[in-house]
Amino acid sequence: MRIKVGFGFDVHQLKDNHPFIVGGVNLEHHRGAFGHSDADVLLHAICDALLGAANLRDIGFHFKNTDPRWKGISSLILLQETVKLLKEKSFVVGNIDAMLCLEAPKINPHIPQMQENIAKAMGISIEDISIKATTNEQMGFVGREEGVVAYAVCLIEKV
């Protein structure tokens, strides 16, 4: 078996009175992430990690932000499509480790639901999905609540 590691990063601008979906969970907050799809920064970083590990380019290559098919779509669907692309190349996912960076809202209470959503979309165990969160200590665009950042690493195996 060949083991590969991938890294993903995503960032989205936050806007007032906009939905804030992270890990497939709609968070209650006065600001939300803005983007072509549902702007789920966590799932976008995970998709990029998976695609990169399999040498399949990046999320923008497969799900262009100029394509009306992806306008407003749930990023859980993008994640499912990403996993299909990996399966076509005979890869299975070993694990995901992800980090969210935002000032608010608090993410900890939502992590179990995010893990469940991701596990279901990917067809893997919740035990194989780690999600953590931190603040930016009120520094920079994240600290001013102008944006949200996510990082993800993954392990995939060729079968």
Side-chain angles (χ1 to χ4, degrees), residues 1 8 15 26 28 30 36 45 52 73 82 84 87 91 111 137 141 143 146 156:
M1 245 188 277
K15 292 192 173 190
N26 194 350
E28 288 191 34
H30 68 280
H36 185 69
I73 197 165
T82 297
K84 285 180 189 174
K87 285 182 180 178
F91 284 109
I111 289 175
E137 300 294 332
F141 72 89
E146 296 170 1
I156 64 173

Side-chain angles (χ1 to χ4, degrees), residues 9-13 33-34 39 41-42 44-45 141-142 146-150:
F9 165 84
D10 197 39
V11 60
H12 280 278
Q13 182 181 16
F34 180 77
V41 68
L42 176 62
H44 294 181
F141 72 89
V142 171
E146 296 170 1
V148 57
V149 174

Side-chain angles (χ1 to χ4, degrees), residues 130-151:
S130 170
I131 301 170
K132 304 171 300 296
T134 189
T135 68
N136 216 41
E137 300 294 332
Q138 300 179 329
M139 296 182 293
F141 72 89
V142 171
R144 293 187 300 270
E145 293 189 52
E146 296 170 1
V148 57
V149 174
Y151 304 91

Side-chain angles (χ1 to χ4, degrees), residues 27-103:
L27 304 175
E28 288 191 34
H29 194 57
H30 68 280
R31 305 195 96 189
F34 180 77
H36 185 69
S37 65
D38 64 1
D40 190 325
V41 68
L42 176 62
L43 297 186
H44 294 181
I46 291 170
C47 286
D48 266 344
L50 293 167
L51 291 166
N55 196 21
L56 290 171
R57 305 207 40 187
D58 60 36
I59 192 171
F61 179 80
H62 294 279
F63 313 109
K64 293 176 178 29
N65 65 5
T66 55
D67 189 333
R69 287 182 301 164
W70 312 123
K71 179 73 174 159
I73 197 165
S74 168
S75 293
L76 288 167
I77 294 171
L78 301 181
L79 183 58
Q80 289 171 335
E81 292 298 315
T82 297
V83 171
K84 285 180 189 174
L85 291 169
L86 266 64
K87 285 182 180 178
E88 289 172 8
K89 290 195 78 172
S90 302
F91 284 109
V92 294
V93 178
N95 75 303
I96 303 288
D97 185 18
M99 172 68 79
L100 288 161
C101 188
L102 70 166
E103 295 299 312

